Amino acid sequence: MTTLLNYLRATQLSSIVLITSLGLLSPLTHANVTPDPTTKWQQTLDQGAGDTVYWHAWGGDVRTNDFITWVGEQTEILYDVKVQQVKLSSTSEAVTQVLAEKAAGQDTDGAVDMIWINGANFLAMKQQQLLHGPFVADLPNAKYLDLSPNSPATVDFTEAVAGLEVPWRLARFVFIVDSKRVTKAPLSMVQMLTWAKANPGRLTHPVVSNFMGTTFLKQALIELTPDASLLQQPATEQSFITATAPLWRWYDAIKPHLWRAGKNFPENESIQQQMLSDGVIDIAMAFDPAAAAAGIASGLLPTSARILVPSQGSLGNVSFVAIPYNASHKAAAKLVANFLLQPETQAHMQNINVLGSFSVLDSTQFNNTQALAFADLPKSEALPTLTDLGPTLLEPHASWSVKLKQQWSQRYSQ
Amino acid sequence: MLFNHWPKWLILIALGMIILLPVVVGLGEAMRAAFGILPALGRHSLSIDAWQQLLQLPGLISSLRLTLFSGFAATIIALLLAVFGSSWVYNKSSKRSFLGSLKPLAQPIIVPILAAPHAAIAIGLAFLIAPSGWIARWFSPWLTAWNLPPDWATVQDLWGLSLTLGLVIKELPFLWLICLVALKQIDVTKQISLAQSMGYSHSAAWRKVIVPQLYPLIRLPVMVVLVYALSTVDMAQILGPNNPPTLALVTMRLYNDANVNMLLPASAAAISLALLMVMSILLWEVCVRGLMLINNVSIRSGGRISKWTLLTATLTTALPMSIMLGLLSLLVLAIWSITWRWSFPEAWPTSWSYGYWLALLTEWPLALKHSLMTALISSGLALTLAVIWLEVQDRFGGHFYRATLWLIYLPLLVPQIAFLYGLKVSFLRLGLNGSIGTVIWAHLLFVFPYVMLSLVDSWRALDQRYLSVASSLGPSSWTCFWRIKLSLLLRPLMIAWAIGMAVSISQYLPTLLIGAGRVESLTTEAVSLASGADRRLVGVYGLLQALVPLLAYSFALMLPRWVALKNMK
């Protein structure tokens, strides 16, 4: 089986293998589950068949778009469920759509079946009760997840997932550098300041209204603040002032040495990576350890692009999919979510030639074939291993991002 | 009286329902939210918190300054260039020069810029003039000694100069075409030669005789350009500074904030943007009246020679520069669309790929189908509506023409973000969601005014004596309408239709919001991909987006000639 997998992967036909292997696996999977949920799951299978899932997902990344197309091809064969990606330029567009439907009293037959979501958008939908569920535990493939309390799959930016969203890919904050130009890379925010002074105009971060800009500030905050555990609590007026004082001192010092003297910023991380590619700056940022390898593979970054992880570790979070409360095709969306948790799907996703995003599954639950599928994945110089990545720093409570954004604008927007 | 004029009232009511109502309803929703009422968020009581939140935004004054400067500067420059360009087309003495020999090419040359989406021009231009851009690459490192681009603010400068440049490049062809169409109604050649026989120089005659007649004909298109320049989101995002950005982008950011409670200050920002438009239009009109008065004094003084040689010289350089930059922006996008990698300081791509064009073969048919369907139907409907509206006014008198004109243009004079979200909610209440029909309706809101805009003046200027003569020969009024009026107006009708096509193809927000994301079009695909900043993909989609209107324009320019040739035989 494994050799066949390798052969077919080499000949770009891995999807066919997956279909066959999943086709064989899924009846077994169902048989493993206790009888009652099976009947319930059988109902989901019956209800979902023949439907099309409108998956609202940020559409700026061609490889992700291609992966979603592939998912749709597989689910059509497996479950008779088609996937139509609605390509967003910002996830909040999907949130606003559901909110507009709620405002108009349209509580069924909504346009959004599934959203790629996390963090602030999830919090907003959860608070406004715009999500369907809890449903995660109903999925047969949930057994591959570590759902113990406070595990990464159960907490989204300190907010309890509460079974309302299914994890599907891991995100880690990393720096991308051009190794040809940067020989001695800064490995902490303190070193970053020294580096920026020595290389004026060669460093910048995305605008702070963009989540990547906020993430950069949060990473700096965690490294510089005296007591990082405070960030796990909601921010108060007082705790915010004490915790962020060193951050602002650091930022005041680094700002004049930023690109365009810190008066203008790239609109998002993709523009920032383009600037790295154009030679305008030397350090870019991403929320994906595979960003450098993926960028090289798609010609967007020079072959000398490498990933850099802060020595203390970096912020990490999980990308989820959620189903709105008024979705038209809830059952079909659950089938797609379940497919995303299939170990073979996750191995395919982790393949650097596909997405290169790390799996969200608990590898201790794998059987041998599944474990081998991961072990056999192709390697790339630009792709760090999990050990290279070091420790994952926890996302601060969402209130910190809001306050950071406000405070930054007040200080630095004229 | 009222009874006799029923067709007029009927069409007026129909237009009100189709065009006016959605804008008013949408604005109403935004207004409610701006004053604290948004039931979906559990907000039911009136408050002015949203306004306070908006006013407390840091950098709001800079945003305002930036918006006004780039919007007004771009409109003034584009208008000057368009009028100057039109005078050049009619200037016989410059025919011998090299530029003069390009005269017949002027119109076909500007069509690609006219047809290309704003975002495509902006991305191309940004790449052209950036310190890491194409122009810098031509001269690096052999002349500049740059192995890495310098940290210069040639794009996204804090004053919005590059944004202004982008707007001028994009709006100039539109205004120029509008001027040329309008000038067909003034007997320019005759009047200029008369003025010249009295000793006026060409430029003095142009300013004193033609411009005062031309401006009233192009007033509304100029307003539309002004409003667009003040409220553009896509161009500002690419070419404008972002800390703080223009007011339209501030609004957009608030709408896109992950915190849904920001919808309230976002609505307040949208309403302020709408108010800013009203005030800007008033300010513009006052200034124009003032200038006209000054011009009148100068006309009475009887000076024969234009003393504005410096201005003329600047315009003579700026006009070809602007068009050249526009064409180069598109050319560089075309190059990017077949590029694999292109690093600084290489003057040309280091490796090539046709991959994105090939990949598109499997992906674009649906988007292309939706785009074509909405564009063809909405521009067809808009043209039909416009013809009915104008013909009914011709037959039953156009007393309230002036009053209704502003109402028709309302969708263009109110920023899209100000009412589209509210409109979406209202459509949802009516159970109209995500269907292509609703999207066509939403497009019609913007297509119809543009079609009217480019048609109305030519229509009004049609010499009624043709029709009187024709009807005295006996055929029915319908035959006259079809055979004489419409065929005399074939050229402006076709241009109006082509502009309608281009407008529909480029609609992003109406397609996305009203279509609930389910009606994917070339533009929604292009914009979502543009957020990933892959110039190669933007190149492919930008060119595709330009191609459809380009075909429409070419058809519009060719058809009347072809018909004329056929009639001659």
Side-chain angles (χ1 to χ4, degrees), chain B residues 248-518:
Chain B
L249 257 171
V250 170
T251 314
M252 197 66 191
R253 276 190 191 168
L254 288 171
Y255 267 115
N256 279 343
D257 200 293
N259 177 1
V260 283
N261 288 311
M262 295 310 261
L263 283 174
L264 300 172
S267 306
I271 297 292
S272 328
L273 202 57
L275 286 176
L276 184 73
M277 297 303 131
V278 175
M279 289 192 290
S280 300
I281 289 172
L282 289 177
L283 179 67
W284 178 272
E285 268 304 283
V286 169
C287 292
V288 167
R289 297 265 154 96
L291 284 176
M292 287 292 185
L293 283 179
I294 297 170
N295 201 26
N296 281 346
V297 174
S298 148
I299 291 171
R300 279 193 213 101
S301 75
R304 299 300 199 254
I305 308 293
S306 180
K307 292 171 209 101
W308 298 358
T309 41
L310 183 67
L311 181 68
T312 316
T314 320
L315 292 178
T316 317
T317 339
L319 183 70
M321 282 280 282
S322 165
I323 289 170
M324 186 121 96
L325 281 174
L327 291 176
L328 277 176
S329 304
L330 289 178
L331 176 67
V332 81
L333 269 192
I335 297 175
W336 266 110
S337 77
I338 49 168
T339 292
W340 181 246
R341 264 203 75 71
W342 185 359
S343 321
F344 190 87
E346 306 293 335
W348 298 97
T350 32
S351 47
W352 305 84
S353 162
Y354 305 94
Y356 280 131
W357 284 104
L358 288 179
L360 273 176
L361 285 177
T362 53
E363 283 166 30
W364 61 252
L366 188 65
L368 185 68
K369 194 185 99 187
H370 285 156
S371 287
L372 278 180
M373 246 173 86
T374 37
L376 283 170
I377 298 177
S378 63
S379 60
L381 275 176
L383 195 64
T384 317
L385 269 175
V387 167
I388 295 176
W389 173 230
L390 290 166
E391 182 61 16
V392 163
Q393 290 211 343
D394 275 0
R395 292 193 186 194
F396 298 91
H399 304 301
F400 51 24
Y401 170 72
R402 289 256 154 240
T404 50
L405 206 55
W406 287 94
L407 299 181
I408 291 171
Y409 296 113
L410 199 65
L412 300 190
L413 301 176
V414 178
Q416 288 193 347
I417 13 180
F419 70 94
L420 278 175
Y421 176 75
L423 180 60
K424 174 200 183 80
V425 176
S426 312
F427 270 156
L428 282 170
R429 282 210 190 102
L430 296 172
L432 300 168
N433 186 21
S435 71
I436 196 147
T438 344
V439 173
I440 289 172
W441 187 358
H443 278 213
L444 196 59
L445 297 182
F446 307 99
V447 174
F448 177 69
Y450 271 107
V451 167
M452 274 295 275
L453 199 62
S454 43
L455 185 60
V456 66
D457 295 318
S458 311
W459 184 285
R460 308 238 132 218
L462 181 71
D463 196 334
Q464 295 296 324
R465 283 171 298 185
Y466 286 119
L467 288 163
S468 317
V469 171
S471 60
S472 71
L473 294 173
S476 74
S477 62
W478 274 110
T479 321
C480 281
F481 172 72
W482 279 111
R483 298 287 302 272
I484 312 291
K485 206 170 193 174
L486 289 193
S487 54
L488 278 174
L489 287 168
L490 185 61
R491 191 184 143 87
L493 279 171
M494 288 307 294
I495 288 187
W497 168 78
I499 288 181
M501 286 286 288
V503 170
S504 169
I505 290 281
S506 68
Q507 293 304 316
Y508 172 65
L509 277 182
T511 319
L512 181 83
L513 286 178
I514 306 297
R518 289 212 180 171

Side-chain angles (χ1 to χ4, degrees), chain B residues 73-88:
Chain B
T75 314
I76 292 168
I77 297 170
L79 180 61
L80 275 178
L81 286 173
V83 173
F84 174 76
S86 312
S87 90
W88 169 75

